[in-house]
Amino acid sequence: MKRLTTLALIVGLCTVVGLFLSSGLEDVAAAVVSAGWGALIVVVARAVAVAWAGLGWFVIFPAAARPTLWDCMTLRFVREGINTLLPVAQVGGDFVGARLLTKRGVPGGIAGASMFVDLMTQAVTQFLFTVAGVLLLVWIAGDGPIVRTVAGGLALAAPALGAFYLIQRRSGHQVIQALVSRFAGSREWRALGAIDVLYDSLKRLYGNRGRVAGGLGIHLIGWFIGTVEVYVALHFMGYPVSIVEAVVIESLAQAVRGAAFAVPGALGAQEGGLIALCAIFGIPAEAALALSLVKRLADLLVGVPGLFAWHALEGTQAVEPVAAEARAEPALRHDLLVPVLANDFGSRARAEADLGDLKKCA
């Protein structure tokens, strides 16, 4: 997998270099400079969106085992930093965030289940956000190659979302085990507990529809907050777009970025997608590439503090699990020390090596 990630990174870098050279480095640089203070606003908007996503994570917890809002927001920045800046297929940071929650006193089963539910609510709301973007694009420009391409992607994503939900609610133990063994190290798994405990916690979280609906609503608003990045950056560059056009660009660009999850940072995919989307509204390639650079600046300025926070939190002393939750699930504390993958020494070794690489990167 490391070889594939490295190959994807090389291909992405080559694509980025080719796009910048073909558009003219001086023109792209001029467009970036013209963004001026708009770039700072984009960074602030990104920070607000990440903190808002932390709120979406916070609301799905049961009251008896709920961490503080500050913990959820802080760990959301940690997740963002790992997923955007390290080669972990955009989900490795979520497992790290769940484990760090256990250091804040949240029982392992609830921490792991909250991570899966949070990922589900984010995926569903991104799907809806993309659908909104496609419908708006059809309304503005009619049918076209981009619409058909994205619609095809949505047709594939819908059953995948359904499958991801079903494996969390029914007998998807082996699939969840495979996900954990692939994207989490042994430390993560010991913190999240045994499979049965995890599924009991998933049932409990999904059983409260009000909290799940709250998470869905918050995350959906969060995707629209990201539209500010496109709207502000292009206005400062001298290519003003309407809110509707900004929603189209942002929603479909996020869909492209999500589809390219295997490429670290979606290098090349984000740039190519923005060029194609901006062209619909008469925005030249150099401005689209400048927009991508401003977005990557936000990735860096928001993600790096998250990596530093990760490093600091790893050194903190663990807090005892919430007493009420420990009483509600008496078997949980024992299960936290049971590695499910005890018979798969090769998988554990690879997972620990992957986590070690992440720590070195941080």
Side-chain angles (χ1 to χ4, degrees), residues 57 78-79 82-83 88 90-102 111-112 115-116 119 164 175-185 187-189 191-192 198 310 355 358:
W57 190 16
V78 171
R79 291 167 60 182
I82 295 173
N83 288 342
V88 289
Q90 300 184 34
V91 292
D94 301 309
F95 289 94
V96 173
R99 178 176 58 79
L100 290 176
L101 263 185
T102 66
M115 179 266 296
F116 279 108
L119 285 176
F164 184 50
V175 179
I176 293 295
Q177 179 177 319
L179 285 173
V180 174
S181 64
R182 172 62 189 87
F183 294 110
R187 294 173 63 194
E188 268 71 22
W189 180 248
L192 301 187
L198 181 63
W310 177 26
L355 184 62
L358 294 185

Side-chain angles (χ1 to χ4, degrees), residues 112-180:
S114 75
M115 179 266 296
F116 279 108
V117 175
D118 191 50
L119 285 176
M120 188 72 218
T121 56
Q122 288 182 78
V124 170
T125 52
Q126 183 177 7
F127 182 88
L128 296 175
F129 186 48
T130 304
V131 169
V134 171
L135 293 177
L136 289 173
L137 180 56
V138 171
W139 176 55
I140 294 172
D143 193 9
I146 293 180
V147 171
R148 289 191 290 271
T149 300
V150 177
L154 290 174
L156 295 175
L161 279 176
F164 184 50
Y165 174 74
L166 289 177
I167 65 174
Q168 295 177 65
R169 298 305 309 274
R170 301 186 181 183
S171 55
H173 292 60
Q174 293 182 347
V175 179
I176 293 295
Q177 179 177 319
L179 285 173
V180 174

